[in-house]
Amino acid sequence: MFRLAFPLLLAATTVAAPSVAQTLSVDEIRALVTERVSEKDEYRALLQDEDPERSLAAMQIMLGSGDNDLQRMALEQGLFSPNPVVQRTALQSFFASGAVLNVMLEPGEAKDNNYFQRNIASWSGSIDAEGRGHLSLLTGEWDEASSCWLYRTSNGCFVRVSDANVMLNLWNSWWSMKLNESGELTGSGSMPNVATAVTAVAPVAN
């Protein structure tokens, strides 16, 4: 019995050794955290440069970098900027990335209107327990002739972006949307066979 137990114990010790050797000390973890935070601070400093041209250029480069972390950082910086040109640039990058826009529709007085529910269903949406509609809309390619991004699933215009607002084409009607302080597009528009305006909220910032 003792002859069998010793080799087994030795094997178990040998297997466990590498994981012990790979364990980071508290100081090593602290150093890595400091390095990562410092790196992010350097990127934020570029985005917050006092020269508006330099900060805009930094945002554009980071948005087009292909790095998810840098793109997210630059998008948030742009969306919450007081400068409408910077906001527009961030929104254009958001839609140019082929983003999925999740839109919540508040029916208001049309809550009990069957046509509201039918309109949502016709776009493969859903109705929650409070009667609100939910749509997930896929952004397609940019159409130069129509100056809009198309729906990914059709050749129809989906969205146009300007310094003043974002226009969403829903049910063949253009809905005017603006960014709020939470990084959400908010606005209202009309639906077929629904007499009252319907409000919409669509998060852009994570």
Side-chain angles (χ1 to χ4, degrees):
M1 292 179 60
F2 290 105
R3 290 179 181 177
L4 286 173
F6 181 74
L8 289 174
L9 179 60
L10 179 61
T13 306
T14 303
V15 171
S19 55
V20 172
Q22 293 173 5
T23 301
L24 295 172
S25 69
V26 172
D27 288 340
E28 288 172 329
I29 294 173
R30 185 180 292 113
L32 290 172
V33 169
T34 300
E35 180 181 350
R36 182 169 299 184
V37 171
S38 176
E39 186 178 63
K40 287 186 176 181
D41 286 344
E42 290 176 0
Y43 285 120
R44 289 194 180 94
L46 291 173
L47 292 169
Q48 297 169 1
D49 194 290
E50 294 181 357
D51 184 337
E53 290 188 5
R54 288 178 60 85
S55 62
L56 180 59
M59 186 185 73
Q60 290 172 326
I61 292 169
M62 290 168 65
L63 286 171
S65 67
D67 184 303
N68 290 336
D69 290 337
L70 292 184
Q71 289 173 328
R72 189 178 302 108
M73 189 185 303
L75 178 63
E76 290 183 357
Q77 178 72 22
L79 293 177
F80 296 109
S81 170
N83 187 325
V85 175
V86 174
Q87 278 194 353
R88 171 176 54 78
T89 302
L91 286 166
Q92 287 173 332
S93 174
F94 172 76
F95 289 110
S97 70
V100 178
L101 190 67
N102 294 308
V103 183
M104 184 187 73
L105 297 135
E106 179 63 62
E109 295 179 16
K111 184 176 182 179
D112 298 322
N113 186 324
N114 288 334
Y115 282 106
F116 174 83
Q117 299 175 3
R118 292 182 187 179
N119 288 328
I120 299 297
S122 70
W123 281 36
S124 302
S126 61
I127 303 291
D128 64 23
E130 285 72 35
R132 297 171 299 197
H134 296 269
L135 301 175
S136 291
L137 306 175
L138 309 180
T139 310
E141 296 180 353
W142 171 258
D143 186 274
E144 189 67 36
S146 300
S147 298
C148 70
W149 280 276
L150 304 175
Y151 280 100
R152 196 181 303 176
T153 54
S154 75
N155 292 324
C157 274
F158 168 37
V159 60
R160 291 189 175 114
V161 178
S162 70
D163 290 351
N165 59 8
V166 171
M167 300 295 291
L168 297 181
N169 183 15
L170 305 176
W171 294 279
N172 294 317
S173 176
W174 287 101
W175 294 42
S176 178
M177 310 283 286
K178 290 193 174 185
L179 272 174
N180 63 16
E181 294 180 353
S182 299
E184 301 168 323
L185 290 171
T186 62
S188 62
S190 60
M191 279 184 176
N193 300 306
V194 176
T196 57
V198 174
T199 60
V201 178
V204 179
N206 293 330

